[in-house]
Amino acid sequence: MPPKAIGMVELCLKTPGAAALGFVTLEKAMELRAPIMKPCLDILLTYSVHPERTTRVGCIRAAKRFYTTSEHSQLIEKFALASMKRGMETASVVGRKMEETMKAIIDRPSEPPIGSENNSGGAENKDNNSDANANNSNKDENIMEKKKAEIMEVRKRGERDIDKTLLSHMELPLALCTRNLNLLLDLFADYARATLPVQIHVRKIITPLIRSVVSTPGKLVPVLQQFPAGAETAVVRIIAIMCVDGPQVPSKELVNGVLEMCEERKLGAEFVVFLAGGMEKPVLLQWLSPIVRLLEKKEGGNVGLVSESFRRITTSFPGRPSVLSPTELLIALHNNVDMDLVDKGVASTA
C-alpha cells in the first residue's frame, strides 16, 4: 500500500460515518504487510484520542491487537502513557480554571445597599430605612441565588470538560492495562500529581478496568503494593471495587496482600474496611480500633464505611460463617476500643 493510499484511508477516520472502513483497513494492512505497519500504526495511535468515541474505540482496538505481539509494542505503550499524562495535565488545568471562576463568582462584590447614602433623619427616614433594609434583604437573597446558579453551571460545564478530556486520553492506556497491569503504576504517578477534581473523575473512569480483574487478585495486588505516595485514594477505591464486585468473602490473596502492604507502609484503616469480612478473628480484633477511629476523621462518608465494615464482619455466607456475631462484635468493641469511641462504634452497628 503506497503512502498516498494510506493517506486516503486516513481521510475515512476524519469522517464519522466512514471511520469503521478506515480503522478496519489499517488493521488488515498491518496484519498483511509488515513494511507498512509503522505508518499505519502511527495513524491509529493519532486517532486513538479522537473526540468521536466510535472512531477512538475502533482505533484503540486495532492498535491493542499489536501490543505485546509486535516489535512496535514499546511505541504503543509510550504513546499511551504520554497521552494519559497529557490528559491529566490538561484536565487539571481545566479543573483549576473551574475553581478560579467559581471563587471569582463568590468574591464578586454586590451593589451598594439601598439607602446607604442617607443614614440620618427623623421618623420618616427611619421608615424609609426599614423599607430599604427589607428590599436589601430580598435583593441579597436574589443575588445569592443567582451566584449559586452561576456556580452550578460553571461546575457542571467544568466537570463535563474534565470527563471528556480524561476519557479521550485514558481509554488507550486502560485498554493496554488489561494485558499489562504494571501500567497502573504510571497511572498512579500521574494521578498523584493531578488536582482533586481530576482524581475524582479518574477513580470513576478506572472502575470498569478493575471490575474486569476482580477474579484475579493475585495479578493486581503486587501492583497495588508499589503505589507511589499521593495515590492512596485511588488504591482505596480499587480495593473497595475488588471487595464489592468480587466474591462475597474477599480472597485470601487480596486480604493477605493488602494487610502486608498496610503493615510495611504503615497505612490506615481505610485500606481494610471492606476486607474485614475476610480477616481471621485475631487479625480483625487488631484492626477494630483503627476502623472505628475512622469516625473521628472529618471526611464525609466514614460512618457509612464503618457501618459497611461491621455488616461484613457479622454476615454469614455459604460455606463461610461470620467473623463475629453481632453480640461478639459489641463485646469486642468494649474490650478493644477506647471508651470514648465505643458509643460511636455501637451506633454504627445499628
Side-chain angles (χ1 to χ4, degrees), residues 149-256:
E150 283 187 69
I151 290 172
M152 289 179 64
E153 180 59 30
V154 169
R155 181 182 293 278
K156 181 179 178 181
R157 185 170 59 248
E159 290 185 347
R160 184 176 62 244
D161 291 343
I162 289 173
D163 200 54
K164 184 178 178 181
T165 300
L166 289 174
L167 274 174
S168 64
H169 286 80
M170 288 186 65
E171 282 189 320
L172 174 60
L174 290 178
L176 301 186
C177 280
T178 61
R179 296 189 177 181
N180 181 9
L181 280 173
N182 285 320
L183 296 182
L184 279 175
L185 293 174
D186 295 277
L187 185 150
F188 291 153
D190 294 335
Y191 175 94
R193 293 188 292 267
T195 59
L196 180 59
V198 171
Q199 290 184 346
I200 292 172
H201 283 268
V202 170
R203 293 199 294 271
K204 180 179 69 174
I205 290 171
I206 65 174
T207 298
L209 168 66
I210 304 306
R211 284 176 175 163
S212 71
V213 297
V214 292
S215 60
T216 55
K219 295 181 179 180
L220 183 59
V221 169
V223 178
L224 297 183
Q225 291 175 331
Q226 303 175 62
F227 79 87
E232 289 82 359
T233 50
V235 174
V236 169
R237 170 66 175 164
I238 290 172
I239 295 171
I241 295 170
M242 296 287 287
C243 294
V244 172
D245 294 313
Q248 291 176 317
V249 178
S251 69
K252 288 186 177 181
E253 279 183 305
L254 180 60
V255 174
N256 293 338

Side-chain angles (χ1 to χ4, degrees), residues 268-271 273 289-299 302-303 305-306 341:
E270 58 270 21
F271 287 84
V273 285
S289 181
I291 288 173
V292 177
R293 284 196 174 279
L294 290 174
L295 297 171
E296 293 182 319
K297 295 189 176 184
K298 296 180 180 179
E299 293 88 345
N302 284 336
V303 172
L305 282 177
V306 175
L341 288 173

Side-chain angles (χ1 to χ4, degrees), residues 108-140:
R108 188 171 62 208
S110 305
E111 296 179 10
I114 299 172
S116 59
E117 302 87 352
N118 187 7
N119 294 323
S120 61
E124 183 179 351
N125 278 340
K126 289 182 179 180
D127 291 340
N128 291 337
N129 287 338
S130 178
D131 292 340
N133 288 336
N135 289 333
N136 286 331
S137 178
N138 292 333
K139 189 174 182 180
D140 287 343

Side-chain angles (χ1 to χ4, degrees), residues 23-33 36 65-66:
F23 55 71
V24 168
T25 301
L26 290 172
E27 182 180 356
K28 289 296 182 182
M30 291 171 65
E31 185 179 342
L32 300 173
R33 299 290 303 277
I36 61 171
R65 273 197 60 195
F66 300 93

